Amino acid sequence: MLSKTDKELIKKAYDTVKHVSEREFGNVVVAHVGVALRTKKGNIYTGVNMECKCDIGSCAEHHAIALMIKNNEHDIDIIVAVDRNGNIVPPCGRCRELIYQVTHNHDVNIIVLHSKKVTLKQLLPKIWEETYYKDVK
Ligand SMILES: [Zn+2]
């Protein structure tokens, strides 16, 4: 069940991607997805994705998280990604791992539907650990 503030965060993510006109310049295409995250301090950070024609790019989560870090915060309370059509987009595997590596918190809330949020642990039961590679070396 989503709260009023959760629904406001969805709107913020949607407004973020709608605010940036979908455009192409050079070899870069931006803004198919917008993200809004709220920290435990109550601050909201947003980002949009970026894709290049040569297949490099970054998810909107990366840009919102980078902005949060730039502001000396790392405790995400809740995060949501929304596409241009207003659909909720659950984070990809790379972003799930990034959220954990930045927060070290499996209880981060992630909105996955317009009516449902889950914890990061539900989406990412096993996290990357440096010890995985100690046996390989
Ligand atoms: Zn991603």
Side-chain angles (χ1 to χ4, degrees), residues 5-115:
T5 56
D6 294 342
K7 291 176 181 173
E8 289 169 355
L9 197 66
I10 293 171
K11 184 176 183 328
K12 189 82 172 174
Y14 181 66
D15 289 347
T16 298
V17 71
K18 289 301 281 185
H19 171 74
V20 179
S21 58
E22 190 173 29
R23 64 181 183 259
E24 189 174 312
F25 54 93
N27 286 326
V28 179
V29 179
V30 294
H32 297 299
V33 176
V35 159
L37 69 83
R38 187 176 57 238
T39 64
K40 290 188 175 177
K41 288 182 179 177
N43 295 316
I44 294 174
Y45 299 100
T46 60
V48 296
N49 74 309
M50 181 183 76
E51 299 172 8
C52 295
K53 289 180 179 173
C54 64
D55 277 347
I56 59 172
S58 49
C59 296
E61 288 88 340
H62 288 227
H63 298 277
I65 289 170
L67 185 58
M68 173 187 72
I69 289 171
K70 179 183 161 218
N71 285 280
N72 294 311
E73 289 196 71
H74 65 276
D75 289 327
I76 300 171
D77 177 37
I78 187 165
I79 186 167
V80 62
V82 179
D83 72 14
R84 296 191 144 272
N85 298 317
N87 300 307
I88 305 289
V89 183
C92 71
R94 187 170 171 233
C95 287
R96 294 172 192 186
E97 189 66 47
L98 176 68
I99 292 166
Y100 181 79
Q101 295 299 324
V102 168
T103 63
H104 279 240
N105 180 1
H106 252 141
D107 296 323
V108 172
N109 293 292
I110 299 173
I111 298 173
V112 293
L113 293 170
H114 279 281
S115 59

